[in-house]
Amino acid sequence: EAQVTQNPRYLITVTGKKLTVTCSQNMNHEYMSWYRQDPGLGLRQIYYSMNVEVTDKGDVPEGYKVSRKEKRNFPLILESPSPNQTSLYFCASSLGVAGPHKYFGPGTRLTVL
Amino acid sequence: AQSVTQPDIHITVSEGASLELRCNYSYGATPYLFWYVQSPGQGLQLLLKYFSGDTLVQGIKGFEAEFKRSQSSFNLRKPSVHWSDAAEYFCAVAPSQGGSEKLVFGKGTKLTVNP
């Protein structure tokens, strides 16, 4: 089954404690992205990756890092989380440059205290 | 910079009634256009997309959308709403000249369906 998986699905942490949210897709997609969703703001792109070792900033990259060492994985790293990073996070993947992000992960709800 | 406006934050319709969700975009050229649906507690599912050609596009779940260049709009429609359509709907745009991985979303329209 084609899917994008994220772990963990729920996470409560404290300010400053480094964390990683994993994202994996089994479709051999080139393009992957991270979004955050906040009430009244819709989805905003954090980072995206066009292929292995190729990443770029989206609209709200501050406070986040990503890496793309393998095609299937695109982890999101918060080196020093802060309360304003409390949000619902989605990973997405698509096949090629002209394709929309058709496949979204189930989401990770992060709370930073 | 490209932007997407969904003027209606919340819409309520009765089951069986018709539905139209509005979407306006701001972009220098005709972008790629999309509608997504998010059911409660779920991720996003692509309903339909417009790249070029016929301005009326058909999607899944009985939805359609019409691209109107003169109005910079891409409104979503359904002739008869079902209770299972209650969800949040997002319009999104991406540049057609490369960079389509940079999707920009509207803030969403929440649809409530009354029995």
Side-chain angles (χ1 to χ4, degrees):
Chain A
E1 178 190 356
Q3 60 181 356
V4 178
T5 56
Q6 295 178 227
N7 282 292
R9 295 289 313 279
Y10 302 91
L11 178 61
I12 300 174
T13 189
V14 296
T15 299
K17 186 176 182 181
K18 180 179 179 179
L19 66 92
T20 299
V21 183
T22 65
C23 172
S24 182
Q25 49 94 2
N26 63 359
M27 296 163 282
N28 203 36
H29 282 172
E30 296 170 341
Y31 290 81
M32 298 184 74
S33 283
W34 277 103
Y35 297 87
R36 61 178 288 173
Q37 184 178 26
D38 302 289
L41 296 178
L43 282 88
R44 293 176 293 169
Q45 191 176 54
I46 303 171
Y47 269 94
Y48 63 93
S49 170
M50 292 179 282
N51 214 325
V52 175
E53 302 292 1
V54 182
T55 63
D56 206 350
K57 296 176 181 178
D59 297 316
V60 287
E62 294 77 21
Y64 304 94
K65 288 175 57 177
V66 293
S67 69
R68 188 90 181 274
K69 293 182 169 51
E70 308 168 274
K71 203 170 189 178
R72 64 182 293 124
N73 296 322
F74 190 44
L76 179 69
I77 303 157
L78 285 71
E79 294 270 4
S80 183
S82 62
N84 64 14
Q85 294 177 297
T86 293
S87 188
L88 179 58
Y89 291 86
F90 288 101
C91 179
S93 76
S94 63
L95 179 60
V97 66
H101 287 295
K102 185 174 183 178
Y103 295 92
F104 277 77
T108 295
R109 185 165 293 283
L110 172 65
T111 301
V112 183
L113 302 175
Chain B
Q2 56 196 24
S3 65
V4 180
T5 301
Q6 294 181 246
D8 304 303
I9 297 173
H10 192 181
I11 283 182
T12 299
V13 299
S14 298
E15 191 168 16
S18 63
L19 172 70
E20 183 169 28
L21 302 181
R22 296 182 291 165
C23 172
N24 293 96
Y25 67 89
S26 174
Y27 189 64
T30 299
Y32 294 153
L33 298 157
F34 313 91
W35 275 101
Y36 289 85
V37 60
Q38 184 180 30
S39 298
Q42 303 295 314
L44 276 75
Q45 181 181 23
L46 180 68
L47 283 176
L48 48 77
K49 60 190 178 187
Y50 173 80
F51 285 175
S52 65
D54 192 346
T55 56
L56 185 64
V57 294
Q58 303 296 321
I60 62 171
K61 302 177 185 280
F63 285 92
E64 66 178 25
E66 185 172 13
F67 168 58
K68 291 187 178 180
R69 186 190 309 272
S70 62
Q71 299 176 17
S72 296
S73 68
F74 188 57
N75 294 347
L76 182 72
R77 300 195 294 247
K78 187 169 185 178
S80 178
V81 170
H82 188 262
W83 64 266
S84 60
D85 293 324
E88 191 156 20
Y89 293 79
F90 293 92
C91 182
V93 302
S96 56
Q97 298 297 321
S100 63
E101 65 279 0
K102 290 180 67 69
L103 271 179
V104 174
F105 286 84
K107 295 182 180 180
T109 298
K110 185 176 181 180
L111 174 66
T112 297
V113 180
N114 288 333

